[in-house]
Amino acid sequence: MKKRKGIARAVDVLTIEELETLPTKVLIARLKRLRFCEETAETSDLSSMEIASVSHKILFKNTLIWREAYAQLKRILDLREDV
């Protein structure tokens, strides 16, 4: 996986219906991208303007949207065959 920098690290927000249509390999790549998110905005190297410019994407692990996205993804992967 190519390491991204800055706001390119942001992960798109997807619905559970969209996640269910994705192949397992894509879901695993998404899991890696979610794990690569920074912990908090306070410990981030991003400026407040850069953070504010990102909408409808996931940047930090300490947010409710990250926890929900991670939990949804894990539930779907638990139902899939091992790759």
Side-chain angles (χ1 to χ4, degrees):
M1 178 174 77
K2 185 177 178 180
K3 301 265 182 174
R4 297 177 181 177
K5 295 182 180 181
I7 58 174
R9 290 180 282 207
V11 180
D12 292 329
V13 176
L14 299 176
T15 65
I16 194 135
E17 292 81 15
E18 291 171 316
L19 289 172
E20 288 173 342
T21 64
L22 297 174
T24 303
K25 287 185 178 185
V26 174
L27 294 176
I28 292 171
R30 179 178 173 80
L31 181 65
K32 289 178 182 178
R33 285 192 305 275
L34 283 171
R35 288 178 177 162
F36 188 63
C37 288
E38 294 189 60
E39 292 296 325
T40 66
E42 292 78 25
T43 60
S44 173
D45 59 345
L46 298 174
S47 71
S48 57
M49 290 183 65
E50 287 176 311
I51 294 169
S53 71
V54 178
S55 62
H56 303 311
K57 293 196 179 225
I58 304 166
L59 276 174
F60 304 108
K61 291 181 183 178
N62 72 330
T63 60
L64 178 61
I65 195 152
W66 185 92
R67 289 190 296 272
E68 288 175 352
Y70 190 81
Q72 285 177 344
L73 189 54
K74 292 292 281 184
R75 274 195 303 272
I76 293 170
L77 284 171
D78 285 345
L79 299 174
R80 298 280 178 104
E81 281 186 39
D82 291 339
V83 177

